[in-house]
Amino acid sequence: MPSNKSVSDAPIVQFTNCRILRGHQLQREDLWVREGKILNPEKLFFDEKGSADIQLDCKDSIIAPGFIDVQINGGFGVDFSLATDDFKSGIDLVSQKILSHGVTSFCPTLVTSPPSVYHQVLPQFSIRNGGAHGAGILGAHLEGPFISKEKKGAHPEHCLRTFEAGAFQDLLATYGSLDCVRIVTLAPEMKRSSEVIQELTKRGICVSLGHSVANLSQAEEAVQHGATFITHLFNAMLPFHHRDPGIVGLLTSDKIPAGRTVFYGMISDGIHTNPAALRIAHRAHPKGLVLVTDAIAGMGLAPGRHTLGQQVVEIDGLNTYIAGTKTLSGSVATMDTCVRHFQEATGCSVETALEAASLHPAQLLGIEHKKGTLNYDSDADFLMLNDGLYVQATYIAGEEVWRQDALGM
């Protein structure tokens, strides 16, 4: 057998009998992996004269990039917005459990909280690669407290804040540190929000618009200052109105800077957004749609009472409400469920449904050169799925980290 040791001693794994999502379509070809990266087989054959050390028959599975969840508040009894001494073990548990739902990277999300919570919790965050221990952590998503009282949703009103004279210093004082922060959701109609958006963007932090009563021109101004995301479109914002479509109008705005894409999160659980609204958004701006779970601590648990930060929530089936009200408070849907519901509700292709949970969030975070695709040299974070888009196995850096047992296939 020709030697491939000249480049690396690491074993080369060839995944055969599969359909790979590459170049926006499922292609019947093999996937080659070495040292956690996806290989170009032509270079391997012709430059290295190499071949596979291990061949794995995928039994006609779909191979797609791992899912990336940029808005997840917790799950399996863990609430990321609760300051606890064993916060690290909670985040480890969630990162392990979401592997079975195809999530290979995520942004743990904190809802509006008192400064003391941010000061205690954020230093315990660390950005890390995924592996057998669980999904990779891309950085925190801080949703609030600089949001609108009128559209607070499940966020506690007594913790909401506005920007005072030293707007960015206010934000720093509230959070304590931005070291591991990847996304900040704020309401763009707030005074002095423009300077905050510019400062966050300068630091490579993605600014998302949400929990807001902004009109379209305020939303467009925020995008011109650097905002690139909309937090759970339709939820906690002014409803679409034909004379002023508000934040929703960004999907078809002609005031977006050239070369910029505005992405938007959708909670595709069949509850937060009517399937018709999901279809409208997708048809208006398909390349910007990012599936998010907005999952809370009750995801994966039995119905009953659970927490979301400072609030008590009640789970009834797939509905989650602030206790004693009919205010929706996050979701208990898993990412693979959201992908399947999205495809069913919109009638989109399998490729489109999978990219909304992988390529688009990677593009939003500017990491599409290594995550969210199966291009050569990108990270070998991928899923095996059946034709019904049920996850059969999850791989991170080319290593199997979860597999559906034989009984569940």
Side-chain angles (χ1 to χ4, degrees):
M1 186 167 97
S3 167
N4 53 45
K5 304 304 179 196
S6 57
V7 172
S8 168
D9 288 338
I12 294 167
V13 184
Q14 178 188 6
F15 294 82
T16 67
N17 189 16
C18 52
R19 290 159 292 155
I20 302 173
L21 177 55
R22 187 179 278 151
H24 309 299
Q25 56 194 48
L26 289 177
Q27 309 193 13
R28 191 164 281 286
E29 52 186 88
D30 294 352
L31 187 76
W32 298 75
V33 174
R34 176 175 61 197
E35 289 185 316
K37 300 284 182 191
I38 292 166
L39 288 181
N40 179 341
E42 285 195 10
K43 278 188 179 171
L44 176 67
F45 302 149
F46 297 112
D47 299 354
E48 297 182 37
K49 308 284 188 280
S51 58
D53 298 293
I54 302 161
Q55 278 192 333
L56 289 175
D57 182 349
C58 301
K59 301 178 179 157
D60 205 35
S61 294
I62 291 169
I63 291 190
F67 298 149
I68 299 169
D69 193 351
V70 299
Q71 187 174 9
I72 170 171
N73 310 291
F76 316 99
V78 175
D79 184 341
F80 299 145
S81 303
L82 283 186
T84 57
D85 294 334
D86 61 347
F87 181 82
K88 282 199 171 85
S89 62
I91 213 159
D92 289 349
L93 175 75
V94 174
S95 64
Q96 176 68 50
K97 293 271 199 180
I98 56 181
L99 294 174
S100 65
H101 300 291
V103 178
T104 53
S105 310
F106 69 113
C107 293
T109 304
L110 275 71
V111 296
T112 294
S113 304
S116 58
V117 169
Y118 298 114
H119 293 191
Q120 195 175 337
V121 167
L122 287 176
Q124 298 187 66
F125 268 102
S126 55
I127 292 170
R128 67 182 189 206
N129 292 326
H133 58 275
I137 296 173
L138 300 169
H141 177 169
L142 305 182
E143 188 187 0
F146 301 99
I147 59 173
S148 157
K149 202 178 283 191
E150 291 87 347
K151 291 292 176 186
K152 65 183 187 297
H155 293 237
E157 189 168 326
H158 69 277
C159 296
L160 300 182
R161 300 175 76 89
T162 54
F163 294 121
E164 301 309 322
F168 189 67
Q169 292 311 311
D170 272 357
L171 178 135
L172 277 180
T174 301
Y175 295 146
S177 162
L178 292 171
D179 288 352
C180 289
V181 175
R182 203 59 191 265
I183 304 174
V184 171
T185 294
L186 53 77
E189 71 276 13
M190 284 191 160
K191 278 187 182 148
R192 309 183 184 88
S193 66
S194 293
E195 59 186 274
V196 172
I197 293 169
Q198 287 169 309
E199 286 293 333
L200 288 169
T201 306
K202 224 184 273 178
R203 288 163 171 75
I205 293 169
C206 165
V207 175
S208 188
L209 312 179
H211 288 276
S212 161
V213 292
N215 60 35
L216 179 56
S217 64
Q218 289 167 325
E220 287 170 336
E221 190 184 339
V223 170
Q224 284 150 13
H225 285 121
T228 52
F229 195 40
I230 303 169
T231 296
H232 45 52
L233 187 79
F234 298 125
N235 297 112
M237 62 186 60
L238 289 178
F240 177 89
H241 189 282
H242 57 283
R243 277 194 289 278
D244 192 334
I247 289 177
V248 177
L250 288 175
L251 271 60
T252 57
S253 169
D254 57 359
K255 304 273 193 316
I256 307 299
R260 175 94 53 84
T261 300
V262 173
F263 292 91
Y264 59 97
M266 299 269 339
I267 309 169
S268 170
D269 61 356
I271 287 159
H272 278 77
T273 315
N274 185 283
L278 194 53
R279 288 191 286 274
I280 287 170
H282 176 246
R283 289 175 194 175
H285 184 27
K287 288 186 165 58
L289 195 148
V290 172
L291 292 177
V292 298
T293 60
D294 198 19
I296 61 169
M299 176 177 69
L301 301 183
R305 288 194 159 213
H306 301 284
T307 64
L308 175 60
Q310 311 295 303
Q311 312 262 43
V312 176
V313 299
E314 289 176 335
I315 296 176
D316 176 13
L318 277 179
N319 292 291
T320 62
Y321 301 113
I322 293 292
T325 75
K326 287 297 176 191
T327 299
L328 282 175
S329 56
S331 157
V332 287
T334 55
M335 184 58 95
D336 54 328
T337 304
C338 291
V339 169
R340 291 190 294 271
H341 176 71
F342 171 56
Q343 199 219 348
E344 191 183 327
T346 61
C348 71
S349 66
V350 163
E351 293 93 332
T352 296
L354 293 168
E355 286 187 344
S358 55
L359 175 63
H360 295 178
Q363 290 170 329
L364 165 72
L365 297 175
I367 55 172
E368 69 274 21
H369 56 290
K370 54 182 181 172
K371 306 270 186 203
T373 74
L374 298 178
N375 293 341
Y376 303 140
D377 298 324
S378 60
D379 293 351
D381 296 355
F382 58 88
L383 313 174
M384 285 186 196
L385 306 108
N386 64 19
D387 285 351
L389 300 186
Y390 285 86
V391 180
Q392 298 172 316
T394 303
Y395 285 76
I396 292 182
E399 300 290 325
E400 183 181 293
V401 292
W402 181 83
R403 176 168 288 276
Q404 174 74 283
D405 59 46
L407 291 173
M409 290 290 270

